[in-house]
Amino acid sequence: MADKVKLAYYLSGGCGGCDMAIIDLSENLVDLLPRLDVVFWAPTVADVKYRDLEGLPDKSIDVGLFSGMIRLSEQEHMAAIMRRKCRTLIAYGACAALGGIPGMGNMHSKEEIFQTAYFDTLSTDNPDGVIPQTRCLVDGKYELTLPEFYRYVRPLQDVAEVDYFVGGCPPHHSFVARVIPDILGGSFPAPGSWITSDKAVCALCDRNPAVKGEEMKLIKTIKRTTDGPPEEGKCLLQQGYLCLGAVTQGDCGALCPKVNIPCRGCGGPVPGVKDFGLRAISAVASLLENEELVDRIPSPVKLFYRYSLPASMLGRKIK
Amino acid sequence: MSDWKPNIVVFACNWCTYQGADLAGILRCDYPSTISIIRVPCTGCVEPEFIVAALKNGADGVFVGGCHPGDCHYQEGNNKAAARFKLLKTVLTEMGFEPDRVRMEWISGSEGKRFAETMTEFNESIERIGPNPIGRYINGG
Ligand code: SF4
Ligand code: SF4
Ligand code: SF4
């Protein structure tokens, strides 16, 4: 490849962790930089303004990485701009691809969220009861604006056409190190698919009974991580910790079960699964020894849809 | 809403509840025309996605009918279905659906009369609960 690859990166409704996963490439990043022309990376890396991106010719950027979900009108606007300017647009990380952790906000109304954020939290000091307004006039003459806070969180594909999805919260830097060179080299899978190593977390997990020639047994109890550490070397799900590794893409290398933490699905659904939470429900429930155990699963929606509620079939709580 | 009639989707196992529905017909037992039956090989293959797809597309009630415990043609299908269904119901309730909008029951091939009675009763209970709230949701509610 002769020319440098033009890259744009936009942090939408995310935490910046996905940006960090790129910075975590460390030496690899140093090797990559000569091949890159970062035309836009806001707000974390480059000193550029939205209008700089808006001013570029359409489709003049090779690859756009979009991290974070859509909750504000500003983010929806920027998603449209990124789509227009980038030839390939990637929903990068769990928030962009599925709605992510902030997507759990879809179990609450905007009013409930404002009530907690602007009134109820201990650190809030708001004697005048101010909540965000999209317009406000200061001194009778200066009009200030804020983006609109939408009623729901949406994943990127709900507002712009997405070419590829990358899972992970954040994507693991070793995986990023493997996929970024491919992306820069222009080697992509079929449009609309996930960029993934195509293996479930279970398939890469040392605790997997199948790997050891053991049989999967029915689960007799439900445990939480606060109930004490699990037995070494034994499948977490078999011990009653609700590990979702069976339905999750293992591009992290089965990171969580290695350190006694059940997989919560940040890697995104394994290929062929449309609704992560429903498939996880199906997988876990099929292993329960009796129906009564269902009552012992705390807050099931936020367990099974921890990273994917906005991208699910229902998407949000129905009122 | 006076002319509203429920739209009810029934997933019926081929080996029992579907036969029960057949028998209800042979016995000329009445049950409401609001019921649409989908024949499935076993309740064990009724994925949560099927039930949610029905609700998402506007079904007011979803009923899953399978073989009595111990009678599953594939041995374990109905047991797995029962645990899945219960977990799904908890999730649907948390998501804002009325718990009684979905129901699972065991109806055998010899229980034609019971099939008709159960459908009549489920239809009445959906009439009491009212239309699927998804309509309000689609309109931005
Ligand atoms: S996917 Fe995770 S790391 Fe990335 S922006 Fe969202 S919350 Fe942060
Ligand atoms: S369920 Fe969890 S602990 Fe068990 S094999 Fe899969 S990833 Fe490993
Ligand atoms: S094990 Fe699961 S939750 Fe943990 S990093 Fe991997 S995909 Fe994410």
Side-chain angles (χ1 to χ4, degrees), chain B residues 7-66:
Chain B
N7 172 8
I8 294 172
V9 173
V10 175
F11 292 99
C13 163
N14 176 48
W15 304 98
C16 49
T17 306
Y18 193 79
Q19 313 275 342
D22 247 1
L23 185 60
I26 292 165
L27 296 174
R28 299 191 175 277
C29 298
D30 282 339
Y31 63 86
S33 59
T34 53
I35 311 279
S36 307
I37 303 180
I38 297 172
R39 175 158 68 152
V40 292
C42 174
T43 49
C45 74
V46 179
E47 283 294 337
E49 279 101 323
F50 301 178
I51 296 169
V52 174
L55 289 171
K56 192 174 176 183
N57 288 301
D60 299 302
V62 179
F63 185 98
V64 181

Side-chain angles (χ1 to χ4, degrees), chain A residues 38-79:
Chain A
V38 178
V39 292
F40 182 80
W41 190 324
T44 32
V45 171
D47 183 18
V48 282
K49 301 278 180 273
Y50 286 177
R51 60 171 179 274
D52 297 330
L53 181 67
E54 285 161 355
L56 293 174
D58 288 357
K59 303 286 173 219
S60 63
I61 300 168
D62 296 301
V63 177
L65 293 177
F66 193 103
S67 80
M69 51 71 188
I70 313 287
R71 167 68 101 165
L72 303 175
S73 51
E74 173 188 351
Q75 294 157 349
E76 187 177 25
H77 169 73
M78 286 306 288

